[in-house]
Amino acid sequence: MGWITTGLIAWAVGWQTNVWLARRPKTRLTRLIIPIIFGLTLIALWECLVRGLEVKAVLLPPPSMIAVRFATSLNILWQDLVQTVVKGALTGYVMGCSAAFLTAIVVDRFPFLRRGLLPVGNFVAALPIIGMAPILVMWFGFDWQSKAAVVVIMVFFPMLVNTVQGLQATDSMQRDLMRTYAAGYWKSLLKLRLPAAMPFVFNGLKIATTLALIGAIVAEFFGSPIKGMGFRISTEVGRLALDMVWAEIVVAAIVGSAFYGGVALLEKAITFWHPSQRG
């Protein structure tokens, strides 16, 4: 029972430390330290409970075993990251979001497209990706192109809907004011409506960051060259090497968080004037 006691003590110390920090004045340092302490506490509790209860590694490996596997498999993890994230997820993300942004402007310019295209978009967005992925793999092959195609479909319609909604964010008084200045559609779009739509656009971009990584990994379960995060997860599960599976999950979590955080920082720099970014 020594491991379990140690885990409970670590949990209690982490809890009390966070309670004390939460009562302190809110600073950037405290906002950073509190989630770090909470995460480390969970990892310590996980380690102690797994070892104290003698859980088999094929069911749930301890974090120390995952860390060792992570450190000894950096070359494999890097190859998988490049294949899945850089080639598949990032390429599909850029293509899908760019196409959705341009389509949203066309939809906004011709209102009849909004009535015809958006319902179709909602229908396609509701299609299960686990059903679309094998079809796209057969169409585009087993390399990263099929994974990028899956990502394009996953990110296109959330980005389209958010951008179209953002372009409608200005009120009639603001649009009337632009017309009194003799501003045409394109000048009004660039000077008024597009800046007002930026919070909605970045909301779509942030949603698409998680969808892109999920889509690329899921697509690799249905056909992939001998590298990639989805391929590695599926094969290592078959070999009962759960420590490698968790190492891939850690990489996906780190990359996904960094991707989302980068878009959030870009949003803060561009939409600094919006009330959500003040303070």
Side-chain angles (χ1 to χ4, degrees), residues 149-168:
V150 172
V151 173
V152 168
I153 291 179
M154 289 194 68
V155 306
F156 181 85
F157 291 104
M159 182 67 184
L160 175 65
V161 171
N162 276 277
T163 305
V164 170
Q165 192 69 29
L167 292 173
Q168 306 298 319

Side-chain angles (χ1 to χ4, degrees), residues 88-90 92-93 97 125 129 147-148 150-159 162 203-219 256 259-260:
L90 188 59
Y93 178 85
C97 291
I129 190 60
K147 287 65 182 176
V150 172
V151 173
V152 168
I153 291 179
M154 289 194 68
V155 306
F156 181 85
F157 291 104
M159 182 67 184
N162 276 277
N203 187 48
L205 289 173
K206 288 189 291 186
I207 293 173
T209 57
T210 55
L211 292 177
L213 191 57
I214 293 171
I217 292 176
V218 169
F259 197 3
Y260 184 94

Side-chain angles (χ1 to χ4, degrees), residues 188-223:
S188 176
L189 178 70
L190 293 175
K191 299 292 185 180
L192 172 65
R193 303 178 65 229
L194 201 55
M198 282 295 106
F200 293 85
V201 172
F202 276 102
N203 187 48
L205 289 173
K206 288 189 291 186
I207 293 173
T209 57
T210 55
L211 292 177
L213 191 57
I214 293 171
I217 292 176
V218 169
E220 288 180 344
F221 279 81
F222 299 95

Side-chain angles (χ1 to χ4, degrees), residues 20 35 38 49 55 61 117-118 127 145 148 175-176 239 242 266:
W20 179 78
F38 184 77
L49 288 179
V55 179
L117 183 60
L118 291 186
L127 293 176
Q145 292 87 348
R175 294 192 293 269
D176 289 341
R239 297 171 54 192
L242 269 296
L266 184 61

Side-chain angles (χ1 to χ4, degrees), residues 106-185:
V106 176
V107 168
D108 181 75
R109 184 69 179 88
F110 303 101
F112 74 91
L113 290 176
R114 188 182 312 132
R115 294 190 293 270
L117 183 60
L118 291 186
V120 176
N122 292 330
F123 173 77
V124 175
L127 293 176
I129 190 60
I130 199 170
M132 294 295 297
I135 297 174
L136 294 174
V137 168
M138 296 305 296
W139 284 359
F140 295 97
F142 291 95
D143 210 346
W144 62 268
Q145 292 87 348
S146 58
K147 287 65 182 176
V150 172
V151 173
V152 168
I153 291 179
M154 289 194 68
V155 306
F156 181 85
F157 291 104
M159 182 67 184
L160 175 65
V161 171
N162 276 277
T163 305
V164 170
Q165 192 69 29
L167 292 173
Q168 306 298 319
T170 55
D171 55 41
S172 58
M173 185 176 295
Q174 292 171 322
R175 294 192 293 269
D176 289 341
L177 179 62
M178 293 299 292
R179 281 192 288 269
T180 61
Y181 292 151
Y185 172 81

Side-chain angles (χ1 to χ4, degrees), residues 198-203 206 260-274 276-277:
M198 282 295 106
F200 293 85
V201 172
F202 276 102
N203 187 48
K206 288 189 291 186
Y260 184 94
V263 175
L265 289 176
L266 184 61
E267 178 189 17
K268 188 171 184 179
I270 294 178
T271 62
F272 59 91
W273 49 269
H274 195 263
S276 63
Q277 302 297 333

